[in-house]
């Protein structure tokens, strides 16, 4: 349906009720319309202006991609649900400090993840606000958490798949370790996306090469064997260990608390260090247990030099400390991850957990209880 326009080609609006028209705010808006001060922004956003906006907001790289891009077919429904009228997705990358991510001290690595996470969120919010002020509708989903946990575990909990968008926009290529590898910054980036209801004058293009150098260090670093040399990826093994103090891992821990008869029984199941770690994740941003695949990745023009200069020293100083670290590995009973951990890292105790993926056994309303299934 085409909106009615006046003799000057400007859209006309239906008459307002007298009471509404007399309101001070309405009168101010109508006055702005008469002066032309409330005109629509350009239908197409200038790509150079947008890129400078993203960089000034704190992003280290940015590119836009049309929602009509064939690789984003699976994102359209979710994007339109989040922001009806979305035309473009703006992918931004924010760098992380490499040696922080590589530290065997999880407090150092996790702080780097979370600090960069916050920086990326702030950058995306600033860009969204600037686009809003320019007259566009825009929205920035979270970099990571919080997410739509009411959907878990029935459907995906993220609003936008940042990695998929970034690859389509040309910010990098998905690596063997399932992280996006930026051609310059390598794996040491976090991604965020801004949705906007306008087209952009120039869109990014997918990279014509893969920054991954096929070193397989991510395979060697993963303590639960989630990454295979042939490209296979065991997402359940990765999430069970790395996300021990997120989502399902927390559910598993809560079930352990519920199933414990008393404090002594609980402490026989959960070590003091595990309890302290869970407390820390509840009082501070949750802690990742690994992330070693990202830490050891030498790909990216800004990252490659030490690896090219002396590969043995690189492995001795970056890979070995993570492999040698004594730490508890969380695995599902009878899983490939359990067998791999025991064989490849015998000095790292492997603890069987349910992962929280299965609900606790239901108890009948009668005095007789159904047999336990988990």
């Amino acid at each position: 349906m085409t909106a009615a326009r006046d003799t000057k080609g400007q859209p006309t609006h239906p008459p307002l009720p007298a009471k509404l028209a007399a309101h001070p705010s309405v009168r101010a808006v109508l006055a702005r319309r008469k002066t032309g001060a409330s005109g629509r922004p350009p239908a197409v956003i200038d790509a150079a202006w947008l890129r400078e906006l993203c960089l000034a907001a704190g992003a280290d790289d940015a590119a836009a991609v049309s929602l009509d891009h064939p690789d984003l077919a699976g994102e359209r429904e979710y994007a339109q649900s989040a922001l009806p009228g979305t035309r473009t997705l703006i992918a931004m990358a924010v760098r992380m400090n490499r040696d922080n991510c590589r530290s065997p001290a999880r407090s150092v690595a996790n702080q780097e993840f979370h600090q960069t996470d916050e920086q990326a969120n702030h950058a995306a919010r600033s860009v969204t606000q600037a686009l809003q002020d320019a007259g566009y509708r825009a929205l920035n989903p979270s970099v990571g958490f919080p997410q739509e946990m009411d959907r878990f575990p029935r459907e995906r909990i993220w609003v936008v798949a940042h990695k998929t968008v970034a690859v389509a926009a040309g910010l990098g290529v998905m690596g063997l370790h399932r992280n996006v590898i930026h051609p310059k910054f390598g794996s040491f980036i976090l991604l965020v996306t801004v949705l906007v209801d306008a087209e952009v004058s120039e869109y990014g293009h997918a990279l014509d090469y893969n920054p991954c150098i096929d070193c397989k260090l991510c395979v060697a670093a993963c303590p639960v064997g989630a990454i295979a040399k042939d490209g296979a990826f065991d997402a359940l093994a990765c999430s069970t260990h790395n996300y021990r103090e997120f989502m399902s891992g927390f559910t598993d821990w809560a079930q352990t608390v519920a199933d414990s008869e008393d404090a002594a029984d609980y402490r026989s199941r959960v070590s003091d260090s595990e309890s302290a770690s869970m407390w820390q994740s509840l009082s501070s941003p949750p802690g990742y247990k690994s992330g070693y695949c990202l830490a050891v990745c030498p790909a990216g023009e800004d990252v490659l030099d030490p690896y090219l200069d002396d590969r043995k020293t690189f492995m001795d100083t970056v890979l070995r400390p993570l492999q040698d670290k004594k730490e508890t590995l969380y695995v599902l009973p009878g899983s490939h991850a359990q067998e791999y951990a025991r064989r490849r890292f015998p000095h790292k105790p492997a603890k069987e957990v349910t992962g929280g993926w299965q609900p606790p056994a239901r108890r009948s309303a009668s005095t007789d209880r159904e047999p336990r299934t988990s």
Side-chain angles (χ1 to χ4, degrees):
M1 183 175 180
T2 303
R5 296 181 179 274
D6 59 23
T7 57
K8 296 182 179 180
Q10 298 298 316
T12 59
H13 304 277
L16 299 173
K19 182 177 180 181
L20 180 59
H23 190 281
S25 297
V26 175
R27 292 170 63 184
V29 171
L30 296 177
R32 286 204 305 270
R33 285 182 180 175
K34 289 182 179 180
T35 63
S38 60
R40 291 282 299 166
V44 177
I45 300 172
D46 180 71
W49 173 84
L50 179 61
R51 178 173 171 78
E52 286 303 315
L53 174 65
C54 294
L55 298 181
D60 291 289
D61 198 4
V65 59
S66 171
L67 186 58
D68 292 331
H69 191 291
D71 291 349
L72 299 182
E75 292 301 307
R76 288 172 196 149
E77 176 185 352
Y78 297 101
Q80 292 291 356
S81 176
L83 182 72
T86 297
R87 304 290 296 279
T88 295
L89 302 177
I90 305 163
M92 297 191 291
V94 178
R95 287 183 297 165
M96 290 188 286
N97 292 324
R98 295 189 291 273
D99 285 311
N100 282 352
C101 295
R102 291 168 174 165
S103 174
R106 297 315 301 157
S107 62
V108 176
N110 281 316
Q111 178 174 248
E112 182 62 26
F113 292 142
H114 291 302
Q115 289 288 321
T116 311
D117 184 283
E118 285 301 308
Q119 183 180 345
N121 277 325
H122 285 305
R125 184 177 182 276
S126 295
V127 170
T128 297
Q129 190 169 63
L131 290 169
Q132 172 186 272
D133 292 345
Y136 302 100
R137 295 181 64 238
L139 175 144
N140 60 296
S142 170
V143 171
F145 294 93
Q147 297 190 37
E148 303 301 301
M149 298 310 297
D150 59 302
R151 302 175 183 171
F152 178 80
R154 300 179 307 278
E155 55 184 296
R156 80 179 213 177
I157 59 177
W158 51 94
V159 175
V160 172
H162 300 304
K163 295 179 183 180
T164 302
V165 174
V167 171
L171 290 190
V173 175
M174 193 79 77
L176 193 66
H177 52 11
R178 300 315 190 270
N179 295 301
V180 172
I181 304 177
H182 188 276
K184 184 176 182 182
F185 311 132
S187 296
F188 297 93
I189 56 170
L190 287 184
L191 302 167
V192 67
T193 309
V194 173
L195 286 61
V196 63
D197 69 342
E199 296 180 353
V200 175
S201 62
E202 182 179 351
Y203 290 119
H205 302 283
L207 293 181
D208 58 4
Y209 73 99
N210 190 342
C212 174
I213 61 171
D214 201 31
C215 65
K216 302 293 195 300
L217 290 185
C218 57
V219 178
C222 181
V224 291
I227 309 168
K229 292 181 180 180
D230 62 2
F233 182 70
D234 188 342
L236 189 56
C238 175
S239 60
T240 298
H241 175 63
N242 191 30
Y243 285 82
R244 175 60 187 166
E245 291 166 14
F246 294 76
M247 307 185 302
S248 57
F250 170 80
T251 301
D252 178 73
W253 173 80
Q255 289 171 196
T256 301
V257 174
D259 286 344
S260 298
E261 295 181 0
D262 51 29
D265 184 27
Y266 168 79
R267 297 185 88 162
S268 71
R269 303 176 185 224
V270 182
S271 69
D272 288 349
S273 63
E274 287 179 291
S275 293
S277 185
M278 185 63 75
W279 164 81
Q280 181 170 259
S281 282
L282 292 172
S283 59
S284 303
Y288 301 93
K289 291 297 185 183
S290 184
Y292 298 167
C293 58
L294 180 154
V296 301
C297 180
E301 294 174 14
D302 282 2
V303 188
L304 260 173
D305 274 342
Y307 181 79
L308 297 179
D309 288 343
D310 189 338
R311 294 194 293 278
K312 182 182 184 304
T313 297
F314 184 91
M315 288 188 283
D316 287 344
T317 58
V318 177
L319 174 64
R320 302 285 183 235
L322 299 175
Q323 291 180 320
D324 294 343
K325 180 180 178 180
K326 293 182 179 179
E327 60 187 326
T328 299
L329 305 180
Y330 298 92
V331 296
L332 298 177
S335 64
H336 166 72
Q338 184 178 47
E339 184 276 329
Y340 181 91
R342 287 175 175 171
R343 171 172 52 83
R344 184 68 182 82
F345 299 103
H347 61 288
K348 296 176 185 278
K351 181 173 182 176
E352 292 186 353
V353 296
T354 68
W357 298 105
Q358 296 295 327
R362 294 189 178 186
R363 301 173 186 247
S364 64
S366 65
T367 55
D368 294 328
R369 293 180 176 177
E370 297 177 0
R372 298 299 299 271
T373 59
S374 62

